[in-house]
Amino acid sequence: MSFAGRTVVVTGGTRGIGAAITSAFLAEGARVLASYHSNDAAAEAFAADSDAAEGQLTLHRFDVADAAAVEAFWGEIEEAETSVDALVNNSGIRSDSLLATMNLSEWQRVIDTNLTGSYLMSKHAVLNMMRQRYGRILFVTSPAGRFGFEGQGNYAASKAGQVGLMRSLCKEVARRKITVNCVSPGFIATELIADLPEDLAKEYKRSVPMRRFGEPSEVADAVLFLASERASYVTGTTLEVTGGL
């Protein structure tokens, strides 16, 4: 699945699953514009460790929930007359709390980043892709949107919202040869779940039929397929990478 000559945008693309996705695209020859929110040290370390050829990887610091910042990012792309072939909406955060004690800021921050950020990035991506009559838009969602987990009402709502957004958007852009899909990783060994108590982590692992957490590279492989030309007739679907969860 060569991506030579293709331009890909990956939000949250310098850590965890996002870093694995960025690395996978780079390995297949893509030019990747990877965004991150604020961790300069992690972003710079990722860039230094990557095997990208010169000019293949570009880092962009902005908040996907900030409409003005997102518009400025896409404005630079338009000014450079760059055609984006794939967008991976990977930026995501958690702020766990029981709903009865969850304050408004905890709710809003997760919804803004995970769902509103996906809307803002996809809106601009569609406008870019429609001109070339080609594109791939992906959302990295979660089984939490389907199952729900205690203390994650805000996270589950944001992830379920991504699936609904995907199903509507895919119908709007199908005739322009733009596909829209979700990849739904289960428990993946990243820092997003590193703060789970040991007993809870063991309980979650027992709930997975494969009896292990997944690796970021296993999610990246699924993303690459859906972003490739080989997935030309796959749209409006959610590919689960959950070990059978």
Side-chain angles (χ1 to χ4, degrees), residues 133-194:
R133 299 186 68 85
Y134 178 88
R136 303 283 187 263
I137 296 175
L138 291 100
F139 302 91
V140 179
T141 183
S142 167
R146 184 159 59 94
F147 295 123
F149 294 107
E150 183 177 348
Q152 292 188 353
N154 49 3
Y155 184 75
S158 70
K159 293 302 179 178
Q162 285 182 315
V163 175
L165 174 58
M166 174 271 291
R167 287 176 175 162
S168 294
L169 180 57
C170 76
K171 294 175 173 62
E172 297 175 3
V173 298
R175 292 185 179 181
R176 298 293 184 125
K177 297 182 180 180
I178 301 171
T179 65
V180 190
N181 294 287
C182 286
V183 172
S184 182
F187 296 110
I188 307 298
T190 70
E191 62 186 49
L192 189 65
I193 62 171

Side-chain angles (χ1 to χ4, degrees), residues 12 24 37 40 55 70 73 119 123 132 155-156 164 171 183 185 200 237:
H37 180 265
D40 293 321
V70 171
F73 168 74
Y119 148 72
K123 175 185 174 70
Q132 61 178 336
Y155 184 75
K171 294 175 173 62
V183 172
L200 187 57
T237 193

